Amino acid sequence: MYGFMTNDNEQLEIEYLLKREMEEITFDLGDHRIDSEIKAAMEERYAVLFQLFRRFASREECLQYMPRKKEQN
């Protein structure tokens, strides 16, 4: 296990970067021109970013960015 120490300004910056990246991925997932294999990789990346985000953000913010469940076809 690794430890990570940040001050308040660094924590806010990390939260901002994670939010921005997750919003970009969410936007790109809606693009029909992107191949399904690439979208799957983007969804995996989103899951990793969200796990990091959970360590910094409040519960309310986590609910806002919680990944959507895949629909079963």
Side-chain angles (χ1 to χ4, degrees):
M1 175 172 273
Y2 294 101
F4 191 69
M5 291 179 53
T6 62
N7 62 32
D8 291 338
N9 289 336
E10 292 168 338
Q11 179 178 344
L12 291 173
E13 184 66 23
I14 291 170
E15 280 184 51
Y16 171 77
L17 292 171
L18 291 170
K19 284 180 188 178
R20 193 175 81 186
E21 185 66 20
M22 290 189 298
E23 288 171 358
E24 285 183 29
I25 290 173
T26 301
F27 179 76
D28 289 342
L29 286 173
D31 191 343
H32 66 279
R33 299 172 294 174
I34 298 176
D35 187 43
S36 62
E37 292 175 6
I38 294 173
K39 284 186 178 183
M42 291 167 62
E43 289 170 349
E44 288 178 25
R45 179 180 170 100
Y46 190 95
V48 170
L49 292 172
F50 183 73
Q51 292 300 319
L52 284 169
F53 183 67
R54 283 180 44 197
R55 297 170 191 244
F56 293 97
S58 68
R59 184 175 192 274
E60 291 78 26
E61 286 180 312
C62 288
L63 290 174
Q64 181 180 355
Y65 287 92
M66 188 173 293
R68 305 274 189 252
K69 294 205 182 226
K70 279 188 154 185
E71 295 179 11
Q72 299 295 327
N73 291 341

